Amino acid sequence: MSIIIKNGRVVTSSEDFTGDIFIESETITAIGKNLPHKAEQMIDASGLLVFPGGIDPHVHLEMPFMGTFSSDNYETGTRAALHGGTTMVIDFILQTQGKSLNSALDEWRGRSDGNTFCDYSFHMAVTDFNEKARGEIRGLVEKEGITSFKVFMAYKGALMIDDRQMIGLMNEVRDCGGIVTVHATNGDMIDYLVAKHRSEGKLSTLYHYLSQPEITESEAAGRFVDMAFYTGVKSYIVHLTCEGALNQVREATMRNQKVNVETCIQYLLLDASLYENDFDGAKWVMSPPLRQRKDQETLWAGIEQGLVQVVGTDHCPFMWEQKLMGEKDFSKIPNGHPAIEHRMELLFSEGVKKGRISLNKFVELTSTNAAKIFGMFPRKGCLGIGADADIVIFDPEKKHAISAETHHMNVDYSAYEGWEVTGKVETVLSRGKIAIENGDLKISKGHGQFIRRST
Ligand code: URP
Ligand code: ZN
Ligand code: ZN
């Protein structure tokens, strides 16, 4: 099957021109102005933007967490991703403490294999670093193409590792050429504050926020950055939210250290005042919590300064009934919010349309940088000859409102209900196949492939 996309405004992280893209089977084979190629199908993209499919490197699908499972599975989550212009996701495998990394991989494959609409990969979250786990790292990198290893500095008793384990893991991952990614918040400080608030009968949603003050994140980010500097491992901080944590990264640049940083769409757009509305605030109970307006300003500036390279979602949805598990105690509200479908349109509308970022920066943040950092470039993250034809055709002027009534995620509320956005995904190609057209899904479950990544 061949397709030609004609007369679109082709935007990559470095280019911006009106032209054509020719696709044969799964791959882009020609790009240019007035291409003479004859194709079986022609898509007229006049007046529309054409950019690389989004890569969301931070999603949690059907993940066992806090006594339940996130409500989007691989089928519903990757379908919603495509509707929003994301053509590749990286999900997290969680090692069970006391068990091996490979058994966790088998468990995650059991849920995901054959069930995805878009392409996907896994980060391996190492929650119990010991000699056995150390011995499994090289095989994951070299045989499975899983090159990124996540650590949690919080969620003690389930996911958190200590600093001794962290150093051991960093050394091993460095030797294997991989990257260590981190949920950087100080678990002990948070647990202390959670226990204190609960013992004082302070159980409302607001206390989720008050149990994770900025210092809990800046302290852990600084400690992680120091350990990465000491070991020399390639590093990445996930869902960075605040000024204090970003300043730790800024300071590290003064000793010529490079730390990759991801923030998430919610930390750019939403703030902690949402926790003041009684239990309704549970929609935004996530860790780290939403911060203050001054932190949003810091994150937008950090993007401009090149300190923040990726905007993900940390998509981890729960049905309202699941959120109600914490109605009487904030510490029992499952942490996470739904966003996989809306990252691209929200960032375009609030970022590009409002003049905060350029179109090229938009592509960098939503696709190219994640592909580069996580070993998929130039197969993914760009519109280049030989790249997978993961392409979004986007109407930059179409206005619409976000709502749970119309979204495709398996969750019964929207964290952005009623938000008016400018810009809409029109057509999405996933490895050369039209996946979304006029809002309709055109491919079947199982189209998505596991993507082996390199170092
Ligand atoms: O609240 C969140 N972020 N839930 C998902 C797990 C994590 O910490 O990323
Ligand atoms: Zn996290
Ligand atoms: Zn997460």
Side-chain angles (χ1 to χ4, degrees):
M1 176 76 186
S2 59
I3 299 177
I4 191 160
I5 302 171
K6 293 289 282 180
N7 297 318
R9 182 172 167 194
V10 178
V11 183
T12 68
S13 61
S14 56
E15 313 277 339
D16 188 342
F17 63 93
T18 298
D20 310 335
I21 300 181
F22 183 64
I23 298 151
E24 288 174 284
S25 183
E26 300 195 341
T27 312
I28 296 173
T29 56
I31 305 184
K33 285 181 184 287
N34 305 315
L35 287 182
H37 300 62
K38 298 268 169 285
E40 286 152 83
Q41 187 172 355
M42 197 272 277
I43 300 174
D44 181 8
S46 308
L48 303 175
L49 302 177
V50 180
F51 49 72
I55 299 173
D56 188 341
H58 193 152
V59 306
H60 302 278
L61 301 175
E62 209 175 340
M63 183 177 81
F65 189 53
M66 294 185 74
T68 184
F69 279 79
S70 53
S71 60
D72 259 323
N73 60 22
Y74 290 88
E75 178 178 344
T76 62
T78 58
R79 185 168 57 205
L82 283 172
H83 276 283
T86 289
T87 53
M88 161 100 203
V89 297
I90 314 184
D91 183 59
F92 290 85
I93 298 173
L94 303 182
Q95 177 194 18
T96 300
Q97 293 182 343
K99 293 196 179 165
S100 69
L101 302 180
N102 283 314
S103 64
L105 173 59
D106 290 344
E107 190 186 327
W108 257 254
R109 280 195 169 137
R111 288 195 281 271
S112 60
D113 270 9
N115 287 327
T116 70
F117 283 91
C118 75
D119 289 351
Y120 67 105
S121 177
F122 292 126
H123 306 283
M124 174 60 76
V126 180
T127 65
D128 190 4
F129 185 72
N130 51 38
E131 270 311 293
K132 182 154 195 303
R134 195 179 64 73
E136 296 180 278
I137 303 274
R138 188 169 291 280
L140 289 167
V141 172
E142 293 177 359
K143 292 205 186 79
E144 310 294 349
I146 295 175
T147 56
S148 47
F149 296 84
K150 163 90 175 281
V151 289
F152 290 90
M153 297 172 83
Y155 305 120
K156 199 171 189 168
L159 304 175
M160 178 171 153
I161 62 168
D162 63 26
D163 292 349
R164 179 180 174 163
Q165 292 175 304
M166 178 86 86
I167 295 288
L169 176 69
M170 283 179 163
N171 281 332
E172 186 60 25
V173 172
R174 178 204 58 215
D175 290 350
C176 295
I179 183 167
V180 173
T181 79
V182 68
H183 170 124
T185 61
N186 184 315
D188 284 319
M189 282 173 83
I190 293 167
D191 288 350
Y192 169 82
L193 287 168
V194 169
K196 177 174 180 297
H197 288 138
R198 292 179 78 212
S199 73
E200 292 166 355
K202 295 171 173 166
L203 297 171
S204 71
T205 307
L206 181 63
Y207 286 92
H208 170 76
Y209 168 64
L210 295 175
S211 298
Q212 300 200 36
E214 181 175 1
I215 187 109
T216 60
E217 187 175 340
S218 48
E219 186 284 327
R223 191 157 31 102
F224 173 79
V225 165
D226 281 346
M227 289 188 281
F229 182 66
Y230 170 67
T231 58
V233 74
K234 201 170 149 196
S235 60
Y236 179 98
I237 301 179
V238 309
H239 58 37
L240 185 142
T241 71
C242 60
E243 183 183 9
L246 194 64
N247 282 342
Q248 300 284 354
V249 175
R250 194 188 308 278
E251 209 168 291
T253 65
M254 291 160 74
R255 60 185 177 198
N256 305 322
Q257 184 182 2
K258 167 80 186 188
V259 179
N260 297 287
V261 173
E262 162 202 290
T263 190
C264 295
I265 191 70
Q266 59 272 28
Y267 300 118
L268 290 166
L269 304 186
L270 307 175
D271 70 72
S273 61
L274 288 166
Y275 298 126
E276 285 160 18
N277 304 330
D278 296 326
F279 194 66
D280 195 53
K283 290 175 184 165
W284 301 278
V285 162
M286 62 186 81
S287 293
L290 300 174
R291 301 287 185 198
Q292 298 173 22
R293 292 264 165 85
K294 59 109 182 150
D295 298 298
Q296 294 177 1
E297 292 314 313
T298 298
L299 294 174
W300 284 111
I303 284 172
E304 201 51 38
Q305 293 157 353
L307 289 170
V308 177
Q309 297 88 26
V310 175
V311 176
T313 58
D314 193 7
H315 176 73
C316 191
F318 296 99
M319 291 288 187
W320 190 243
E321 196 180 314
Q322 294 173 288
K323 288 280 183 182
L324 284 171
M325 289 161 65
E327 197 177 12
K328 295 196 166 52
D329 177 353
F330 70 88
S331 71
K332 298 196 166 51
I333 302 171
N335 285 200
H337 103 310
I340 202 167
E341 188 169 347
H342 299 307
R343 175 184 69 128
M344 307 279 284
E345 289 174 350
L346 281 168
L347 189 65
F348 181 84
S349 190
E350 295 293 318
V352 179
K353 277 287 174 189
K354 294 200 171 162
R356 288 163 159 149
I357 56 171
S358 70
L359 260 176
N360 300 112
K361 182 66 99 176
F362 170 79
V363 174
E364 265 186 44
L365 293 168
T366 55
S367 181
T368 310
N369 286 346
K372 287 182 175 169
I373 293 167
F374 292 115
M376 296 181 282
F377 189 85
R379 176 175 178 190
K380 302 284 189 191
C382 72
L383 301 177
I385 291 170
D388 280 0
D390 294 341
I391 300 174
V392 176
I393 303 175
F394 191 85
D395 184 338
E397 304 301 336
K398 198 179 261 181
K399 294 187 194 308
H400 61 111
I402 293 174
S403 172
E405 304 271 296
T406 48
H407 74 203
H408 301 84
M409 300 176 287
N410 186 40
V411 55
D412 51 4
Y413 68 88
S414 173
Y416 302 91
E417 187 65 44
W419 275 59
E420 297 280 348
V421 293
T422 304
K424 189 154 186 6
V425 170
E426 291 291 321
T427 304
V428 179
L429 281 82
S430 167
R431 288 194 338 280
K433 269 217 155 71
I434 295 181
I436 303 289
E437 195 176 38
N438 299 324
D440 293 332
L441 183 77
K442 298 286 180 188
I443 53 172
S444 324
K445 187 172 88 168
H447 168 80
Q449 282 183 0
F450 179 77
I451 303 295
R452 292 167 53 86
R453 295 181 284 117
S454 70
T455 56

